Amino acid sequence: MNEKMDNITQQVQTVLEQEPLDVRERVRRITLTALSSGQLDKTQWRQVMDAVLQGGLQGRSGTGSADRQALREAVRGLDEALAAAAEATQLALQEAAGRSSEFSNTELKRVRDDLQGLEALFIDTLSQAADKAGGHAATTLRELAAHGRHSGTAVGRRVTEALAQVSDSLLQTARSQVETGRQSLQSGGALLANLAAGFLAGIADRLQPDARADANREPPRKDADD
Protein backbone atom coordinates (compact mmCIF):
# COMPACT_ATOMS: atom_id res chain seq x y z
CA MET A 1 0.00 0.00 0.00
CA ASN A 2 1.40 3.41 -0.97
CA GLU A 3 1.82 6.44 1.26
CA LYS A 4 -1.49 7.98 0.23
CA MET A 5 -3.41 4.83 1.10
CA ASP A 6 -1.47 4.46 4.35
CA ASN A 7 -2.58 7.97 5.27
CA ILE A 8 -6.24 7.10 4.61
CA THR A 9 -5.92 4.02 6.79
CA GLN A 10 -4.41 6.08 9.59
CA GLN A 11 -7.14 8.73 9.38
CA VAL A 12 -9.91 6.14 9.60
CA GLN A 13 -8.15 4.31 12.41
CA THR A 14 -7.90 7.55 14.38
CA VAL A 15 -11.60 8.29 13.88
CA LEU A 16 -12.63 4.93 15.31
CA GLU A 17 -10.14 5.04 18.17
CA GLN A 18 -11.47 8.40 19.32
CA GLU A 19 -14.99 6.97 19.63
CA PRO A 20 -16.73 9.96 18.04
CA LEU A 21 -20.48 10.13 17.70
CA ASP A 22 -20.22 10.78 13.96
CA VAL A 23 -18.07 7.88 12.72
CA ARG A 24 -20.13 7.47 9.56
CA GLU A 25 -19.93 11.15 8.59
CA ARG A 26 -16.22 11.44 9.29
CA VAL A 27 -15.36 8.29 7.36
CA ARG A 28 -17.53 9.49 4.49
CA ARG A 29 -15.59 12.76 4.40
CA ILE A 30 -12.23 10.99 4.47
CA THR A 31 -13.32 8.70 1.64
CA LEU A 32 -14.72 11.53 -0.49
CA THR A 33 -11.48 13.49 -0.12
CA ALA A 34 -9.41 10.44 -1.05
CA LEU A 35 -11.49 9.58 -4.10
CA SER A 36 -11.59 13.13 -5.43
CA SER A 37 -7.83 13.66 -5.10
CA GLY A 38 -6.88 11.23 -7.87
CA GLN A 39 -8.27 9.58 -10.97
CA LEU A 40 -11.73 8.27 -10.23
CA ASP A 41 -11.71 4.79 -11.73
CA LYS A 42 -12.01 1.12 -10.76
CA THR A 43 -8.44 0.87 -9.53
CA GLN A 44 -8.82 3.97 -7.34
CA TRP A 45 -12.13 2.71 -5.95
CA ARG A 46 -10.62 -0.59 -4.86
CA GLN A 47 -7.51 0.94 -3.32
CA VAL A 48 -9.50 3.44 -1.28
CA MET A 49 -11.99 0.80 -0.14
CA ASP A 50 -9.14 -1.43 1.03
CA ALA A 51 -7.48 1.44 2.89
CA VAL A 52 -10.70 2.53 4.62
CA LEU A 53 -11.61 -0.98 5.72
CA GLN A 54 -8.10 -1.62 6.99
CA GLY A 55 -8.33 1.54 9.07
CA GLY A 56 -11.69 0.41 10.39
CA LEU A 57 -10.28 -2.94 11.46
CA GLN A 58 -7.21 -1.44 13.07
CA GLY A 59 -9.23 1.20 14.88
CA ARG A 60 -11.66 -1.27 16.42
CA SER A 61 -10.10 -4.61 17.25
CA GLY A 62 -12.20 -5.28 20.36
CA THR A 63 -15.18 -7.57 20.71
CA GLY A 64 -17.69 -5.27 22.40
CA SER A 65 -20.93 -4.06 20.86
CA ALA A 66 -19.52 -0.51 20.61
CA ASP A 67 -16.60 -1.80 18.54
CA ARG A 68 -18.90 -3.66 16.18
CA GLN A 69 -21.23 -0.69 15.83
CA ALA A 70 -18.34 1.65 15.07
CA LEU A 71 -17.15 -0.69 12.31
CA ARG A 72 -20.68 -0.83 10.88
CA GLU A 73 -20.86 2.96 10.87
CA ALA A 74 -17.49 3.19 9.11
CA VAL A 75 -18.71 0.84 6.39
CA ARG A 76 -21.89 2.90 5.99
CA GLY A 77 -19.77 6.01 5.56
CA LEU A 78 -17.73 4.23 2.89
CA ASP A 79 -20.93 3.10 1.16
CA GLU A 80 -22.31 6.65 1.05
CA ALA A 81 -19.04 8.01 -0.33
CA LEU A 82 -19.06 5.40 -3.08
CA ALA A 83 -22.63 6.43 -3.92
CA ALA A 84 -21.32 9.96 -4.44
CA ALA A 85 -18.55 8.53 -6.64
CA ALA A 86 -21.20 6.80 -8.73
CA GLU A 87 -23.01 10.11 -9.18
CA ALA A 88 -19.76 11.80 -10.22
CA THR A 89 -19.04 9.06 -12.74
CA GLN A 90 -22.54 9.48 -14.16
CA LEU A 91 -21.96 13.22 -14.60
CA ALA A 92 -18.59 12.59 -16.23
CA LEU A 93 -20.11 10.12 -18.69
CA GLN A 94 -22.85 12.57 -19.61
CA GLU A 95 -20.31 15.34 -20.09
CA ALA A 96 -18.09 13.07 -22.19
CA ALA A 97 -21.03 11.97 -24.31
CA GLY A 98 -21.58 15.62 -25.17
CA ARG A 99 -17.92 15.92 -26.20
CA SER A 100 -17.84 12.83 -28.41
CA SER A 101 -14.89 14.12 -30.42
CA GLU A 102 -12.66 13.69 -27.36
CA PHE A 103 -13.71 10.23 -26.16
CA SER A 104 -14.04 6.89 -27.90
CA ASN A 105 -17.25 4.95 -27.51
CA THR A 106 -15.14 2.01 -26.37
CA GLU A 107 -13.78 4.05 -23.47
CA LEU A 108 -17.21 5.35 -22.50
CA LYS A 109 -18.55 1.81 -22.47
CA ARG A 110 -15.65 0.61 -20.32
CA VAL A 111 -16.33 3.30 -17.73
CA ARG A 112 -20.03 2.49 -17.81
CA ASP A 113 -19.26 -1.18 -17.23
CA ASP A 114 -16.99 -0.28 -14.31
CA LEU A 115 -19.80 1.82 -12.85
CA GLN A 116 -22.24 -1.04 -13.28
CA GLY A 117 -19.92 -3.30 -11.29
CA LEU A 118 -19.21 -0.84 -8.47
CA GLU A 119 -21.67 -2.35 -5.97
CA ALA A 120 -20.33 -5.85 -6.62
CA LEU A 121 -16.79 -4.53 -6.14
CA PHE A 122 -17.81 -2.98 -2.81
CA ILE A 123 -19.40 -6.19 -1.54
CA ASP A 124 -16.47 -8.28 -2.75
CA THR A 125 -14.04 -5.96 -0.96
CA LEU A 126 -16.05 -6.35 2.25
CA SER A 127 -15.88 -10.13 1.92
CA GLN A 128 -12.15 -10.11 1.30
CA ALA A 129 -11.58 -7.82 4.27
CA ALA A 130 -13.61 -10.25 6.40
CA ASP A 131 -11.40 -13.12 5.28
CA LYS A 132 -8.32 -11.21 6.47
CA ALA A 133 -9.92 -10.15 9.75
CA GLY A 134 -10.67 -12.27 12.76
CA GLY A 135 -13.28 -12.73 15.45
CA HIS A 136 -16.21 -10.38 15.70
CA ALA A 137 -14.81 -7.97 13.08
CA ALA A 138 -14.87 -10.73 10.46
CA THR A 139 -18.42 -11.65 11.45
CA THR A 140 -19.54 -8.02 11.23
CA LEU A 141 -18.07 -7.54 7.77
CA ARG A 142 -19.58 -10.80 6.50
CA GLU A 143 -22.97 -9.75 7.83
CA LEU A 144 -22.68 -6.40 6.06
CA ALA A 145 -21.64 -8.08 2.81
CA ALA A 146 -24.57 -10.53 3.05
CA HIS A 147 -26.99 -7.69 3.79
CA GLY A 148 -25.67 -5.80 0.78
CA ARG A 149 -26.21 -8.79 -1.50
CA HIS A 150 -29.77 -9.40 -0.32
CA SER A 151 -31.06 -5.92 0.43
CA GLY A 152 -28.83 -3.65 -1.65
CA THR A 153 -26.52 -0.79 -0.72
CA ALA A 154 -26.49 2.99 -1.03
CA VAL A 155 -23.97 2.76 -3.86
CA GLY A 156 -26.04 0.10 -5.62
CA ARG A 157 -29.15 2.25 -5.58
CA ARG A 158 -27.18 5.22 -6.90
CA VAL A 159 -25.60 3.12 -9.64
CA THR A 160 -29.04 2.00 -10.81
CA GLU A 161 -30.15 5.62 -11.09
CA ALA A 162 -26.93 6.63 -12.82
CA LEU A 163 -27.10 3.89 -15.44
CA ALA A 164 -30.67 4.87 -16.30
CA GLN A 165 -29.44 8.42 -16.94
CA VAL A 166 -26.40 7.63 -19.09
CA SER A 167 -27.69 4.85 -21.35
CA ASP A 168 -29.36 7.14 -23.89
CA SER A 169 -26.40 9.51 -24.00
CA LEU A 170 -23.96 6.70 -24.73
CA LEU A 171 -26.21 5.24 -27.40
CA GLN A 172 -26.39 8.60 -29.16
CA THR A 173 -22.60 8.98 -28.96
CA ALA A 174 -22.08 5.53 -30.49
CA ARG A 175 -24.42 6.33 -33.37
CA SER A 176 -22.69 9.66 -33.98
CA GLN A 177 -19.24 8.09 -34.13
CA VAL A 178 -20.37 5.35 -36.49
CA GLU A 179 -22.09 7.84 -38.78
CA THR A 180 -19.02 10.07 -38.98
CA GLY A 181 -16.49 7.27 -39.23
CA ARG A 182 -14.76 8.10 -35.93
CA GLN A 183 -14.85 4.64 -34.37
CA SER A 184 -11.05 4.61 -33.98
CA LEU A 185 -10.77 7.61 -31.65
CA GLN A 186 -7.92 7.54 -29.16
CA SER A 187 -8.94 6.48 -25.68
CA GLY A 188 -9.49 9.31 -23.25
CA GLY A 189 -9.33 7.16 -20.12
CA ALA A 190 -7.20 9.40 -17.94
CA LEU A 191 -9.09 12.49 -19.03
CA LEU A 192 -12.42 10.87 -18.25
CA ALA A 193 -11.20 9.66 -14.83
CA ASN A 194 -9.96 13.14 -13.99
CA LEU A 195 -13.26 14.61 -15.15
CA ALA A 196 -15.13 12.29 -12.79
CA ALA A 197 -12.82 13.20 -9.90
CA GLY A 198 -13.53 16.87 -10.56
CA PHE A 199 -17.27 16.28 -10.37
CA LEU A 200 -16.80 14.33 -7.13
CA ALA A 201 -14.88 17.23 -5.59
CA GLY A 202 -17.90 19.42 -6.29
CA ILE A 203 -20.28 16.84 -4.83
CA ALA A 204 -18.12 16.50 -1.73
CA ASP A 205 -18.19 20.25 -1.25
CA ARG A 206 -21.98 20.24 -1.62
CA LEU A 207 -22.37 17.43 0.91
CA GLN A 208 -20.33 19.21 3.57
CA PRO A 209 -21.95 22.64 4.04
CA ASP A 210 -21.73 22.41 7.82
CA ALA A 211 -17.98 21.98 7.71
CA ARG A 212 -17.56 25.06 5.52
CA ALA A 213 -19.89 27.07 7.73
CA ASP A 214 -17.94 26.09 10.84
CA ALA A 215 -14.66 27.04 9.20
CA ASN A 216 -15.96 30.46 8.16
CA ARG A 217 -17.86 31.25 11.33
CA GLU A 218 -16.34 34.04 13.43
CA PRO A 219 -15.78 33.29 17.10
CA PRO A 220 -18.28 34.92 19.47
CA ARG A 221 -17.31 38.42 20.56
CA LYS A 222 -16.72 39.13 24.20
CA ASP A 223 -18.32 42.11 25.92
CA ALA A 224 -16.02 44.91 26.95
CA ASP A 225 -16.70 44.19 30.62
CA ASP A 226 -15.60 40.51 30.31
Side-chain angles (χ1 to χ4, degrees), residues 119-178:
E119 182 183 42
L121 182 64
F122 173 49
I123 293 173
D124 180 63
T125 304
L126 285 176
S127 297
Q128 291 192 19
D131 291 340
K132 297 176 183 177
H136 289 279
T139 300
T140 298
L141 291 176
R142 290 195 182 98
E143 289 174 350
L144 290 170
H147 183 271
R149 291 190 190 96
H150 295 127
S151 302
T153 62
V155 63
R157 290 186 287 273
R158 192 63 192 80
V159 164
T160 298
E161 296 174 8
L163 292 174
Q165 294 292 324
V166 301
S167 294
D168 290 343
S169 297
L170 294 184
L171 179 60
Q172 292 173 5
T173 299
R175 287 174 176 169
S176 174
Q177 290 186 359
V178 169

